[in-house]
Amino acid sequence: MAKTGRRSLWRVCSILLGQAGFTPARLRAAAGAAVLAGLLLVFVLLGAGCGTKPAALTVGLLPITDNLPFWVAEQKGYFRDAGVAVKFISFPSAVERDSAFTAGQIDVAVGDLLAVAQMRQGGTKVKAIALCQGVRPEEGRFAVLAAPGSGLRTVADLKNVPIACSLKTINEYVLDRLLTAEGFKPEEIKKVAIPKIPVRLEALLNGTVKAAILPDPFAALAEAKGARLIIDDTKSNISQTVIIAREETIGRNLAGLKRLLTAYNRAVRDIQRDPTAQVPLLKEKARVPEPVLPGGRHGMKLIFSPAQLPAPADVQAVVDWLTAKGILKAPVRYDDLVEKRVLGG
C-alpha cells in the first residue's frame, strides 16, 4: 500500500513538473548544478573558518626581567598554540634594540614610552601596543639607594647630593618624579651620569658615588650587599615598560600581534600562579644573580599583570617631562604613541 502511494505521488509530481516545462534532462542538469553549488558553499565556509595564517613576528629581547612572559610563552609552546610564529633576536642594550627597529629588523620589543616618543621624533614609526610592567605600582621596581657608609638615611638627605643615573632615560624620569613628589626643587636634584647599570651598581657599592637609582634586580642586589634603600616607586606608578611594535607591522599583521598578546597573557597567568617556577629562566635569560632570585632571603618580587593599555595620564606625564627637558620638539598626543587596536580598544 505504501509503495503504491509513493508511485502515485511520483506520477503526480512528474505531471506537474512536466506542465511547468521541466523535462527529465533539465531536471538532471538542475540537480547537478545544485550539487556543485553546495560544494562551493562548503569550500567558502571552510575558508572563512580557517582564515589566513598571520605572518611570523620577530621580537627583540634584552636580558631583562620584563621579557619573562615572552620566554615562558616560547618555552611552553603558547605562541604555537595561539597560531603565530615568533622568532627571538637578543640585544645587549636598548641602543641596539632601537637601531634594529629603525632598520626594520624587528617587529616587536619591550621598552618604555620615553623610547617610543624619541624613536618617533627621530623618524622611526613605532607605537606602544600594551603595558608590560607597571600596571600596578609594585611591578618593575626602581629604587634610589645610598652607598654603604655614606651616612645618607632619609629622602631629605638626598638634597644636593649627586645621584648616579642614566640621563634622558626612564632612570632620570623616575628619579625626578620621585624627588619632586617629596618636595624637591629641580635645582636640588643633582645627578651624575653613569649610563651602564652594572657600572653604576659597582660605583654605589664601592662608594665612588653616595647614591644611585637602580631597577630590580640590581636594586635588590645592592640592598643584599649593604646599600640602604632610601625610596622606591612601589607606592606610585611611575616606572612603566611597554610592548612596542612597528606601525608597518601593526598595519599588515594586526592578527599576528593579537595572537602574540594572547600567548603573552597566558604566560603571565603562569607567572602569577607560581613566580618561583620561573627561576631557571630568570637565571638563564635575564641573568638574575643567585642572591636575588625570587623565593630567597633577598629575592626580588616578580609581579606581572595581563596586557592592557597605558593610562592617558601616565602617557601625558612622560610627554610633559620630555617636553620640559627639551627632548621633544613638537606636541605629541596619546594616539601618536599608543595603538589601541591590538587589544581591541
Short mmCIF file of all heavy atoms in Angstrom, two decimals, residues 292-344:
data_model
loop_
_atom_site.label_atom_id
_atom_site.label_comp_id
_atom_site.label_asym_id
_atom_site.label_seq_id
_atom_site.Cartn_x
_atom_site.Cartn_y
_atom_site.Cartn_z
N VAL A 292 69.35 37.21 44.55
CA VAL A 292 68.10 37.98 44.48
C VAL A 292 67.04 37.28 43.64
O VAL A 292 66.04 37.90 43.26
CB VAL A 292 68.37 39.40 43.93
CG1 VAL A 292 69.22 40.18 44.91
CG2 VAL A 292 69.02 39.38 42.56
N LEU A 293 67.21 36.00 43.36
CA LEU A 293 66.18 35.26 42.66
C LEU A 293 64.94 35.14 43.53
O LEU A 293 65.04 35.07 44.77
CB LEU A 293 66.68 33.86 42.28
CG LEU A 293 67.68 33.82 41.12
CD1 LEU A 293 68.37 32.46 41.05
CD2 LEU A 293 66.98 34.14 39.79
N PRO A 294 63.75 35.14 42.95
CA PRO A 294 62.52 35.05 43.75
C PRO A 294 62.54 33.83 44.67
O PRO A 294 62.99 32.75 44.30
CB PRO A 294 61.43 34.90 42.69
CG PRO A 294 62.00 35.55 41.47
CD PRO A 294 63.47 35.25 41.51
N GLY A 295 62.06 34.06 45.91
CA GLY A 295 62.00 32.96 46.87
C GLY A 295 63.11 32.98 47.90
O GLY A 295 62.99 32.37 48.96
N GLY A 296 64.20 33.70 47.61
CA GLY A 296 65.32 33.76 48.53
C GLY A 296 65.16 34.88 49.55
O GLY A 296 64.21 35.67 49.50
N ARG A 297 66.11 34.96 50.47
CA ARG A 297 66.06 35.97 51.53
C ARG A 297 66.02 37.38 50.97
O ARG A 297 65.28 38.25 51.46
CB ARG A 297 67.27 35.79 52.45
CG ARG A 297 67.34 36.80 53.58
CD ARG A 297 68.63 36.65 54.37
NE ARG A 297 68.81 37.75 55.29
CZ ARG A 297 69.93 37.99 55.96
NH1 ARG A 297 70.96 37.19 55.81
NH2 ARG A 297 70.02 39.02 56.78
N HIS A 298 66.82 37.64 49.96
CA HIS A 298 66.85 38.96 49.32
C HIS A 298 66.16 38.94 47.96
O HIS A 298 66.40 39.80 47.12
CB HIS A 298 68.29 39.44 49.16
CG HIS A 298 69.02 39.61 50.46
ND1 HIS A 298 68.78 40.65 51.32
CD2 HIS A 298 69.99 38.85 51.05
CE1 HIS A 298 69.57 40.55 52.38
NE2 HIS A 298 70.31 39.46 52.24
N GLY A 299 65.31 37.94 47.75
CA GLY A 299 64.70 37.75 46.44
C GLY A 299 63.84 38.92 45.99
O GLY A 299 63.07 39.49 46.77
N MET A 300 63.99 39.29 44.73
CA MET A 300 63.18 40.36 44.15
C MET A 300 61.74 39.85 43.97
O MET A 300 61.50 38.65 43.81
CB MET A 300 63.74 40.80 42.80
CG MET A 300 63.80 39.70 41.77
SD MET A 300 64.41 40.25 40.15
CE MET A 300 62.97 41.15 39.54
N LYS A 301 60.79 40.78 44.02
CA LYS A 301 59.40 40.42 43.78
C LYS A 301 59.16 40.35 42.27
O LYS A 301 59.58 41.22 41.52
CB LYS A 301 58.47 41.46 44.41
CG LYS A 301 58.48 41.43 45.93
CD LYS A 301 57.50 42.43 46.50
CE LYS A 301 57.48 42.38 48.03
NZ LYS A 301 56.54 43.36 48.61
N LEU A 302 58.49 39.28 41.87
CA LEU A 302 58.23 39.04 40.45
C LEU A 302 56.73 39.19 40.22
O LEU A 302 55.95 38.28 40.50
CB LEU A 302 58.71 37.65 40.07
CG LEU A 302 58.91 37.37 38.57
CD1 LEU A 302 59.95 38.30 37.97
CD2 LEU A 302 59.32 35.91 38.38
N ILE A 303 56.31 40.35 39.72
CA ILE A 303 54.89 40.65 39.59
C ILE A 303 54.60 41.12 38.16
O ILE A 303 55.24 42.04 37.66
CB ILE A 303 54.45 41.75 40.58
CG1 ILE A 303 54.83 41.36 42.01
CG2 ILE A 303 52.95 41.99 40.49
CD1 ILE A 303 54.65 42.48 43.01
N PHE A 304 53.66 40.45 37.52
CA PHE A 304 53.22 40.82 36.17
C PHE A 304 51.69 40.87 36.14
O PHE A 304 51.02 40.17 36.91
CB PHE A 304 53.70 39.82 35.13
CG PHE A 304 55.15 39.93 34.77
CD1 PHE A 304 56.12 39.30 35.54
CD2 PHE A 304 55.56 40.67 33.67
CE1 PHE A 304 57.46 39.39 35.22
CE2 PHE A 304 56.90 40.79 33.34
CZ PHE A 304 57.86 40.15 34.11
N SER A 305 51.14 41.68 35.25
CA SER A 305 49.70 41.73 35.02
C SER A 305 49.42 41.48 33.54
O SER A 305 50.28 41.73 32.69
CB SER A 305 49.15 43.11 35.41
OG SER A 305 49.34 43.37 36.78
N PRO A 306 48.22 40.99 33.21
CA PRO A 306 47.87 40.83 31.80
C PRO A 306 48.00 42.16 31.05
O PRO A 306 47.82 43.23 31.63
CB PRO A 306 46.41 40.36 31.85
CG PRO A 306 46.27 39.72 33.19
CD PRO A 306 47.16 40.52 34.11
N ALA A 307 48.28 42.06 29.77
CA ALA A 307 48.50 43.26 28.95
C ALA A 307 47.26 44.16 28.94
O ALA A 307 46.14 43.68 28.80
CB ALA A 307 48.85 42.84 27.52
N GLN A 308 47.49 45.44 29.11
CA GLN A 308 46.43 46.42 28.96
C GLN A 308 47.04 47.72 28.47
O GLN A 308 48.26 47.89 28.46
CB GLN A 308 45.67 46.64 30.26
CG GLN A 308 46.51 47.13 31.42
CD GLN A 308 45.68 47.26 32.69
OE1 GLN A 308 45.19 48.35 33.01
NE2 GLN A 308 45.52 46.16 33.41
N LEU A 309 46.20 48.66 28.06
CA LEU A 309 46.70 49.92 27.50
C LEU A 309 47.21 50.85 28.61
O LEU A 309 46.67 50.85 29.72
CB LEU A 309 45.59 50.62 26.72
CG LEU A 309 45.16 49.95 25.42
CD1 LEU A 309 43.93 50.65 24.85
CD2 LEU A 309 46.29 49.95 24.40
N PRO A 310 48.23 51.66 28.31
CA PRO A 310 48.67 52.67 29.28
C PRO A 310 47.57 53.69 29.53
O PRO A 310 46.80 54.02 28.62
CB PRO A 310 49.88 53.32 28.60
CG PRO A 310 50.26 52.42 27.48
CD PRO A 310 49.02 51.70 27.07
N ALA A 311 47.49 54.19 30.75
CA ALA A 311 46.50 55.23 31.07
C ALA A 311 46.93 56.55 30.43
O ALA A 311 48.11 56.89 30.42
CB ALA A 311 46.39 55.39 32.58
N PRO A 312 45.97 57.31 29.89
CA PRO A 312 46.32 58.61 29.28
C PRO A 312 47.11 59.52 30.21
O PRO A 312 48.03 60.21 29.76
CB PRO A 312 44.95 59.21 28.92
CG PRO A 312 44.08 58.01 28.69
CD PRO A 312 44.55 56.98 29.69
N ALA A 313 46.80 59.52 31.50
CA ALA A 313 47.52 60.39 32.44
C ALA A 313 48.98 59.99 32.56
O ALA A 313 49.87 60.85 32.68
CB ALA A 313 46.84 60.35 33.81
N ASP A 314 49.26 58.68 32.54
CA ASP A 314 50.65 58.22 32.63
C ASP A 314 51.43 58.58 31.38
O ASP A 314 52.62 58.94 31.45
CB ASP A 314 50.68 56.70 32.85
CG ASP A 314 50.14 56.30 34.22
OD1 ASP A 314 50.23 57.11 35.14
OD2 ASP A 314 49.61 55.17 34.34
N VAL A 315 50.78 58.48 30.23
CA VAL A 315 51.44 58.86 28.97
C VAL A 315 51.71 60.36 28.96
O VAL A 315 52.79 60.81 28.58
CB VAL A 315 50.57 58.46 27.76
CG1 VAL A 315 51.19 58.97 26.45
CG2 VAL A 315 50.40 56.94 27.71
N GLN A 316 50.74 61.15 29.41
CA GLN A 316 50.91 62.60 29.40
C GLN A 316 52.03 63.03 30.33
O GLN A 316 52.77 63.98 30.04
CB GLN A 316 49.61 63.28 29.81
CG GLN A 316 49.60 64.79 29.60
CD GLN A 316 49.84 65.18 28.15
OE1 GLN A 316 49.18 64.66 27.25
NE2 GLN A 316 50.81 66.07 27.91
N ALA A 317 52.19 62.32 31.46
CA ALA A 317 53.27 62.65 32.40
C ALA A 317 54.63 62.48 31.73
O ALA A 317 55.54 63.30 31.92
CB ALA A 317 53.17 61.79 33.65
N VAL A 318 54.79 61.43 30.93
CA VAL A 318 56.04 61.21 30.20
C VAL A 318 56.26 62.31 29.17
O VAL A 318 57.36 62.87 29.06
CB VAL A 318 56.02 59.82 29.52
CG1 VAL A 318 57.21 59.68 28.56
CG2 VAL A 318 56.05 58.71 30.56
N VAL A 319 55.20 62.64 28.43
CA VAL A 319 55.30 63.69 27.40
C VAL A 319 55.68 65.02 28.03
O VAL A 319 56.53 65.76 27.52
CB VAL A 319 53.97 63.80 26.62
CG1 VAL A 319 53.98 65.03 25.72
CG2 VAL A 319 53.73 62.54 25.79
N ASP A 320 55.05 65.34 29.15
CA ASP A 320 55.33 66.62 29.83
C ASP A 320 56.80 66.68 30.28
O ASP A 320 57.45 67.72 30.14
CB ASP A 320 54.42 66.80 31.04
CG ASP A 320 52.97 67.04 30.65
OD1 ASP A 320 52.71 67.36 29.47
OD2 ASP A 320 52.09 66.90 31.52
N TRP A 321 57.31 65.59 30.82
CA TRP A 321 58.70 65.56 31.28
C TRP A 321 59.66 65.71 30.11
O TRP A 321 60.63 66.49 30.17
CB TRP A 321 58.97 64.25 32.03
CG TRP A 321 60.34 64.17 32.64
CD1 TRP A 321 60.74 64.65 33.86
CD2 TRP A 321 61.50 63.55 32.07
NE1 TRP A 321 62.07 64.37 34.09
CE2 TRP A 321 62.56 63.70 32.99
CE3 TRP A 321 61.75 62.89 30.88
CZ2 TRP A 321 63.85 63.22 32.76
CZ3 TRP A 321 63.03 62.40 30.63
CH2 TRP A 321 64.06 62.56 31.57
N LEU A 322 59.40 64.98 29.03
CA LEU A 322 60.27 65.07 27.85
C LEU A 322 60.25 66.47 27.25
O LEU A 322 61.27 66.98 26.79
CB LEU A 322 59.83 64.05 26.80
CG LEU A 322 60.12 62.58 27.12
CD1 LEU A 322 59.40 61.67 26.12
CD2 LEU A 322 61.63 62.30 27.09
N THR A 323 59.08 67.09 27.27
CA THR A 323 58.95 68.45 26.73
C THR A 323 59.69 69.45 27.61
O THR A 323 60.42 70.32 27.13
CB THR A 323 57.47 68.83 26.61
OG1 THR A 323 56.79 67.88 25.77
CG2 THR A 323 57.31 70.23 26.02
N ALA A 324 59.53 69.31 28.93
CA ALA A 324 60.20 70.22 29.86
C ALA A 324 61.71 70.11 29.77
O ALA A 324 62.44 71.10 29.94
CB ALA A 324 59.74 69.94 31.29
N LYS A 325 62.21 68.90 29.44
CA LYS A 325 63.65 68.68 29.31
C LYS A 325 64.18 69.14 27.95
O LYS A 325 65.39 69.12 27.70
CB LYS A 325 63.97 67.19 29.48
CG LYS A 325 63.80 66.67 30.89
CD LYS A 325 64.93 67.18 31.80
CE LYS A 325 64.79 66.66 33.19
NZ LYS A 325 65.84 67.18 34.10
N GLY A 326 63.26 69.55 27.06
CA GLY A 326 63.69 69.97 25.73
C GLY A 326 64.02 68.81 24.80
O GLY A 326 64.64 69.00 23.75
N ILE A 327 63.59 67.59 25.20
CA ILE A 327 63.88 66.41 24.39
C ILE A 327 62.89 66.29 23.24
O ILE A 327 63.26 65.99 22.10
CB ILE A 327 63.88 65.14 25.27
CG1 ILE A 327 64.98 65.26 26.34
CG2 ILE A 327 64.08 63.88 24.42
CD1 ILE A 327 64.90 64.19 27.41
N LEU A 328 61.60 66.55 23.53
CA LEU A 328 60.58 66.55 22.48
C LEU A 328 60.48 67.95 21.89
O LEU A 328 60.37 68.94 22.63
CB LEU A 328 59.23 66.12 23.04
CG LEU A 328 59.00 64.64 23.29
CD1 LEU A 328 57.57 64.39 23.74
CD2 LEU A 328 59.31 63.81 22.05
N LYS A 329 60.48 68.02 20.58
CA LYS A 329 60.48 69.32 19.91
C LYS A 329 59.10 69.70 19.37
O LYS A 329 58.90 70.85 18.96
CB LYS A 329 61.48 69.30 18.73
CG LYS A 329 62.88 68.85 19.12
CD LYS A 329 63.51 69.73 20.16
CE LYS A 329 64.94 69.28 20.49
NZ LYS A 329 65.53 70.07 21.59
N ALA A 330 58.16 68.76 19.32
CA ALA A 330 56.83 69.03 18.78
C ALA A 330 55.79 68.40 19.69
O ALA A 330 56.07 67.43 20.40
CB ALA A 330 56.71 68.46 17.36
N PRO A 331 54.56 68.94 19.67
CA PRO A 331 53.50 68.37 20.52
C PRO A 331 53.22 66.91 20.17
O PRO A 331 53.29 66.51 19.00
CB PRO A 331 52.28 69.26 20.19
CG PRO A 331 52.86 70.52 19.64
CD PRO A 331 54.10 70.12 18.92
N VAL A 332 52.92 66.11 21.17
CA VAL A 332 52.64 64.68 20.99
C VAL A 332 51.35 64.34 21.72
O VAL A 332 51.17 64.72 22.88
CB VAL A 332 53.80 63.81 21.54
CG1 VAL A 332 53.45 62.34 21.45
CG2 VAL A 332 55.08 64.10 20.76
N ARG A 333 50.47 63.61 21.03
CA ARG A 333 49.21 63.18 21.65
C ARG A 333 49.28 61.71 22.05
O ARG A 333 50.16 60.97 21.60
CB ARG A 333 48.06 63.38 20.66
CG ARG A 333 47.87 64.82 20.17
CD ARG A 333 46.86 64.83 19.03
NE ARG A 333 47.31 63.95 17.95
CZ ARG A 333 46.49 63.39 17.06
NH1 ARG A 333 45.19 63.60 17.14
NH2 ARG A 333 46.97 62.62 16.11
N TYR A 334 48.31 61.29 22.84
CA TYR A 334 48.23 59.89 23.27
C TYR A 334 48.22 58.95 22.07
O TYR A 334 48.98 57.96 22.03
CB TYR A 334 46.96 59.69 24.11
CG TYR A 334 46.76 58.28 24.63
CD1 TYR A 334 47.29 57.88 25.85
CD2 TYR A 334 46.01 57.35 23.91
CE1 TYR A 334 47.10 56.60 26.35
CE2 TYR A 334 45.82 56.06 24.40
CZ TYR A 334 46.36 55.69 25.61
OH TYR A 334 46.17 54.41 26.08
N ASP A 335 47.40 59.24 21.08
CA ASP A 335 47.26 58.35 19.92
C ASP A 335 48.51 58.33 19.04
O ASP A 335 48.65 57.44 18.20
CB ASP A 335 46.04 58.75 19.08
CG ASP A 335 44.73 58.41 19.78
OD1 ASP A 335 44.76 57.56 20.70
OD2 ASP A 335 43.69 59.00 19.43
N ASP A 336 49.40 59.31 19.22
CA ASP A 336 50.67 59.28 18.49
C ASP A 336 51.60 58.21 19.04
O ASP A 336 52.46 57.69 18.32
CB ASP A 336 51.38 60.64 18.58
CG ASP A 336 50.61 61.74 17.88
OD1 ASP A 336 49.93 61.45 16.88
OD2 ASP A 336 50.68 62.89 18.35
N LEU A 337 51.43 57.89 20.33
CA LEU A 337 52.35 56.96 21.00
C LEU A 337 51.74 55.59 21.26
O LEU A 337 52.48 54.62 21.44
CB LEU A 337 52.81 57.56 22.33
CG LEU A 337 53.52 58.92 22.28
CD1 LEU A 337 53.92 59.34 23.69
CD2 LEU A 337 54.74 58.87 21.38
N VAL A 338 50.41 55.50 21.31
CA VAL A 338 49.74 54.26 21.72
C VAL A 338 48.79 53.80 20.63
O VAL A 338 48.00 54.58 20.11
CB VAL A 338 48.97 54.47 23.04
CG1 VAL A 338 48.24 53.19 23.44
CG2 VAL A 338 49.90 54.93 24.15
N GLU A 339 48.87 52.51 20.30
CA GLU A 339 47.98 51.86 19.34
C GLU A 339 46.96 51.01 20.10
O GLU A 339 47.33 50.10 20.83
CB GLU A 339 48.76 50.98 18.37
CG GLU A 339 47.91 50.17 17.42
CD GLU A 339 47.00 51.03 16.58
OE1 GLU A 339 47.51 51.86 15.79
OE2 GLU A 339 45.76 50.88 16.71
N LYS A 340 45.67 51.33 19.93
CA LYS A 340 44.62 50.66 20.70
C LYS A 340 44.10 49.38 20.04
O LYS A 340 43.51 48.54 20.71
CB LYS A 340 43.43 51.62 20.91
CG LYS A 340 43.79 52.90 21.62
CD LYS A 340 42.57 53.82 21.65
CE LYS A 340 42.90 55.17 22.28
NZ LYS A 340 41.75 56.09 22.23
N ARG A 341 44.31 49.23 18.74
CA ARG A 341 43.62 48.14 18.01
C ARG A 341 44.06 46.74 18.40
O ARG A 341 43.29 45.79 18.31
CB ARG A 341 43.81 48.33 16.51
CG ARG A 341 43.02 49.48 15.90
CD ARG A 341 43.28 49.59 14.42
NE ARG A 341 44.67 49.98 14.15
CZ ARG A 341 45.23 49.84 12.94
NH1 ARG A 341 44.57 49.29 11.94
NH2 ARG A 341 46.49 50.25 12.76
N VAL A 342 45.31 46.59 18.84
CA VAL A 342 45.81 45.25 19.13
C VAL A 342 45.05 44.63 20.31
O VAL A 342 44.72 43.45 20.31
CB VAL A 342 47.32 45.26 19.41
CG1 VAL A 342 47.82 43.85 19.69
CG2 VAL A 342 48.07 45.87 18.22
N LEU A 343 44.75 45.46 21.30
CA LEU A 343 43.98 44.97 22.45
C LEU A 343 42.48 45.17 22.26
O LEU A 343 41.69 44.95 23.17
CB LEU A 343 44.43 45.68 23.74
CG LEU A 343 45.77 45.16 24.31
CD1 LEU A 343 46.19 46.04 25.49
CD2 LEU A 343 45.64 43.72 24.76
N GLY A 344 42.12 45.64 21.07
CA GLY A 344 40.70 45.76 20.75
C GLY A 344 40.03 47.02 21.22
O GLY A 344 38.82 47.11 21.23
#
